[in-house]
Amino acid sequence: MTLNVAIAGASGYAGGEILRLLLNHPAYISGDLTIGALTGGSNAGQSLGDLMPHLPQLRDRRLVDTNKDTLAGHDVVFLGLPHGFSAEIAQQLGPDTIVIDCAADFRLKNKADWEKFYGSEHAGTWAYGIPEMPGHREQIKNTNRVAVPGCFPTGATLAALPAVAKQLVEPTLNVVSITGVSGAGKKASVAMLGAETMGNAKAYNTAGKHRHTPEITQNLAEVTDKQVSVSFTPVLAPMPRGILTTITAPLISDEDPHAIYAEFYKDEPFVHVLPVGEQPQTKNVVGSNSVHIQVEANPDAGVLLVTSAIDNLTKGTAGAAVQCMNLTVGYHETAGLPLTGLAP
């Protein structure tokens, strides 16, 4: 059976990255996966070749309006829409359609958290799309509705998960994530102009204001009975892609953290615990669906330090979406997903 896939919001960074990955997917190359409707909002009617010349295979395709009629009849629908728009579209698609949402609409379990950080009615909660979290791979395999995680929570969750689950630390975490400008999405914004971002770094949405804070907290609370506290500070850096996350937390164990991390992730194809002394770098994960992690104890300061690097558009968004699609339809989980980064 041929799998027919649609992408809503195909002209955005997430949509474009999903298309890049699908065009290299073995099922697409063999003809077992076809790319159906590509929808846009203000870009409807435009040629994909004009908007995304890096995808020459789809040069002649035109974006259509995002609505029930254009998305109906597909086996898989990826939603790369702004927060708050996914729920309405998803409700109009049949229960047999696999819907993979790259926005935040269905990530949070707590209604109050959603209302506090997003200021609208909570639409519900879907299976959460980090397969590397305990129990989540099976949940994703057995559902037609998947919420792709935020890019910051992906890097932070995978970095902190073994430390919290194996009780290496008190779950009071200080998380700092340095991100490339593509994380802000493909929209006109003075703050994202080259003249504003080049040669500059700045923190934003500080002191608990960032919307990904409750998502990180929610993820880590799944693996501990203790109260989880997260102080999250995002920092904008002058690079197109990548997130470098550092986490410190009070150290309460004298076990070897590197050995524990290596054991925790030994069967995960996309998570690489680096050799002792080697630090993750964003340049080494660009274009890949991989996560690079380093962990080390600082007994003098009484903290554990964990560092992770991801590509925010691949493992942080579109790669996670394709990884979840692979699981829901029965493809090999790594199909179409680059395991290696680009160099130089």
Side-chain angles (χ1 to χ4, degrees), residues 163 167-174 229 248-253 301-304:
Q167 301 182 55
L168 301 181
V169 298
E170 290 289 355
T172 302
L173 296 95
N174 183 21
S229 173
T248 54
L251 184 66
I252 59 172
S253 171
V303 299
L304 187 76

Side-chain angles (χ1 to χ4, degrees), residues 6 8 18 29 32 61 78 135 138 152 166 197 219 224 238 271 273 287 302 311 318 329 332 340:
I18 290 170
I29 294 170
D32 293 322
R61 298 285 298 276
F78 291 98
E138 289 305 313
F152 286 128
K166 298 301 182 180
T197 58
N219 294 349
T224 180
V271 183
V273 179
D311 183 325
V329 304
H332 193 281
T340 57

Side-chain angles (χ1 to χ4, degrees), residues 302-314:
V303 299
L304 187 76
L305 170 66
V306 192
T307 309
S308 72
I310 65 169
D311 183 325
N312 57 293
L313 292 181
T314 314

Side-chain angles (χ1 to χ4, degrees), residues 262-335:
E263 177 65 22
F264 193 93
Y265 285 127
K266 67 178 182 179
D267 296 322
E268 294 296 344
F270 296 116
V271 183
H272 302 278
V273 179
L274 301 181
V276 173
E278 181 180 337
Q279 282 294 327
Q281 301 181 62
T282 56
K283 72 173 186 177
N284 293 336
V285 295
V286 167
S288 82
N289 201 55
S290 292
V291 184
H292 289 188
I293 293 176
Q294 184 57 268
V295 58
E296 52 193 316
N298 182 346
D300 291 338
V303 299
L304 187 76
L305 170 66
V306 192
T307 309
S308 72
I310 65 169
D311 183 325
N312 57 293
L313 292 181
T314 314
K315 182 58 173 169
T317 309
V322 173
Q323 187 177 350
C324 290
M325 179 200 76
N326 287 341
L327 289 168
T328 60
V329 304
Y331 292 156
H332 193 281
E333 187 173 339
T334 63

Side-chain angles (χ1 to χ4, degrees), residues 189-218:
S189 169
V190 171
M192 293 296 111
L193 291 172
E196 302 292 332
T197 58
M198 289 188 297
N200 187 41
K202 67 174 182 179
Y204 64 100
N205 287 343
T206 53
K209 300 183 190 72
H210 198 282
R211 290 171 167 179
H212 287 171
T213 302
E215 192 177 336
I216 299 168
T217 305
Q218 171 181 285

Side-chain angles (χ1 to χ4, degrees), residues 144-173:
N144 282 353
R145 297 289 189 270
V146 180
V148 176
C151 52
F152 286 128
T154 297
T157 299
L158 292 173
L161 195 65
V164 175
K166 298 301 182 180
Q167 301 182 55
L168 301 181
V169 298
E170 290 289 355
T172 302
L173 296 95

